[in-house]
Amino acid sequence: QVQMVESGGGTVQAGGSLRLSCTASRRVYSSGIVYWFRQIPGKEREFVAAIRWGFGTTYYADSVKGRFTVSRDKAENIAYLQMNNLKPDDEALYYCAHGTSYDTSAASYRNWGQGTQVTVSS
């Protein structure tokens, strides 16, 4: 089981940028996929982006395409989420998760970390 720890959140003005990090507790194998999700209080956790560890193939929710970029540092076992042109709607608690098959349903994952808060002021 790979545990993931999120960091890098903060408060930015609308239009600003932040880079989130997701550090794995052990080596992420090439078959792994790292996901980013976010959750607003009172709403379900939603898929944001994902990256296949081996080839680096990326996936994005429509709401963040063109603004967010997911990447990974294979040597350090860290995934990143670069968020540009942030909007008030992006304000949420951001989580990452590890899986071995492509599944964007948050209900499929357990052992969530604490998440990292992103606050966007308008």
Side-chain angles (χ1 to χ4, degrees):
Q1 194 85 345
V2 183
Q3 295 294 119
M4 315 299 285
V5 177
E6 308 88 353
S7 62
T11 300
V12 293
Q13 288 192 328
S17 299
L18 272 178
R19 188 177 79 158
L20 306 183
S21 299
C22 172
T23 303
S25 59
R26 63 155 177 82
R27 178 187 167 196
V28 179
Y29 294 110
S30 295
S31 57
I33 305 172
V34 173
Y35 298 84
W36 285 97
F37 291 88
R38 66 186 181 188
Q39 188 169 26
I40 299 167
K43 289 197 168 185
E44 291 189 355
R45 200 163 295 187
E46 65 173 10
F47 168 75
V48 175
I51 185 164
R52 290 190 181 269
W53 208 254
F55 289 109
T57 307
T58 57
Y59 308 87
Y60 298 96
D62 288 344
S63 58
V64 306
K65 272 181 189 173
R67 299 187 299 121
F68 289 13
T69 302
V70 59
S71 62
R72 86 277 193 234
D73 182 328
K74 294 172 77 173
E76 297 294 327
N77 295 299
I78 300 175
Y80 299 100
L81 185 67
Q82 177 68 43
M83 306 185 295
N84 297 329
N85 189 22
L86 281 159
K87 303 176 181 180
D89 283 351
D90 296 317
E91 182 167 310
L93 194 56
Y94 283 72
Y95 299 89
C96 55
H98 172 271
T100 54
S101 61
Y102 187 67
D103 183 350
T104 60
S105 171
S108 299
Y109 303 94
R110 303 285 183 268
N111 300 317
W112 295 99
Q114 304 268 18
T116 187
Q117 177 68 39
V118 172
T119 302
V120 183
S121 59
S122 54

